[in-house]
Amino acid sequence: RRVGTAPFPLQEVAQDYEQTLSQNNLKPTLETSDADRAAQWLRQQVHGDIPPIPLNLSGAKLLGADALTKNGTLIGRLLYQTPKGLLALYMAPHRTQFSQTKPTQIDGRAFYLAQPNPKTTLLAWEYNTVGMGMVAHLTLQETSPYALDARRMTATLP
């Protein structure tokens, strides 16, 4: 365990994603397709090193950003519309221990994989001290291009 890190809130982000889908709540607090603007806003809201993550290469359209409080912790969320449905990227400053996940490699990049329920895939990684978790109602194979695209934007770590 490294100083300043804590477990990534896996169950909380999975529940938030399911709730967002069930309520069809696709209007983020900050509605924008500008990844730089969303990242700047999230940095102010969650006090973390949040990079811009456009996901244009994989065909996802940024809908906007939200700052959520889960178990007393501020978490950033970016919502994207993809040709296959809604995708959410959660950013938890200082939440970089990925318990209840299994390490996996996708195109030589290290990720942590969890499937909180049969139809949901979560791929996680660390960016500096920020835990990043991508959640979608997609298979691992369908989620991988989006995760790789996001990971390229956070490529400061191997």
Side-chain angles (χ1 to χ4, degrees):
R1 180 176 171 142
R2 296 183 328 198
V3 174
T5 66
F8 184 81
L10 178 82
Q11 292 305 321
E12 290 84 354
V13 301
Q15 288 169 353
D16 179 77
Y17 177 78
E18 295 299 331
Q19 185 177 21
T20 300
L21 277 180
S22 69
Q23 295 175 352
N24 199 27
N25 184 13
L26 305 182
K27 286 192 155 267
T29 303
L30 175 69
E31 293 184 63
T32 183
S33 60
D34 183 332
D36 290 319
R37 182 171 175 228
Q40 181 180 19
W41 184 81
L42 280 173
R43 283 191 289 271
Q44 294 171 350
Q45 300 300 312
V46 301
H47 313 290
D49 183 16
I50 308 298
I53 304 177
L55 298 189
N56 296 338
L57 294 176
S58 54
K61 179 182 182 269
L62 178 63
L63 300 175
D66 291 292
L68 313 169
T69 302
K70 299 293 176 190
N71 291 345
T73 301
L74 284 169
I75 298 173
R77 178 182 72 185
L78 296 172
L79 287 178
Y80 300 88
Q81 189 64 52
T82 76
K84 297 184 183 240
L86 186 71
L87 180 141
L89 180 58
Y90 294 86
M91 291 141 290
H94 311 295
R95 304 287 190 206
T96 54
Q97 294 174 1
F98 298 107
S99 55
Q100 301 176 315
T101 63
K102 67 177 188 177
T104 190
Q105 291 272 326
I106 302 170
D107 285 356
R109 296 276 188 181
F111 288 93
Y112 295 91
L113 171 65
Q115 294 189 287
N117 65 53
K119 55 186 174 179
T120 303
T121 299
L122 181 138
L123 283 171
W125 67 98
E126 182 180 1
Y127 170 75
N128 295 335
T129 61
V130 178
M132 311 287 279
M134 180 173 285
V135 185
H137 269 197
L138 300 171
T139 65
L140 174 60
Q141 186 177 11
E142 292 170 325
T143 307
S144 295
Y146 302 110
L148 285 168
D149 194 4
R151 186 73 195 265
R152 284 183 196 101
M153 300 292 129
T154 62
T156 58
L157 296 173

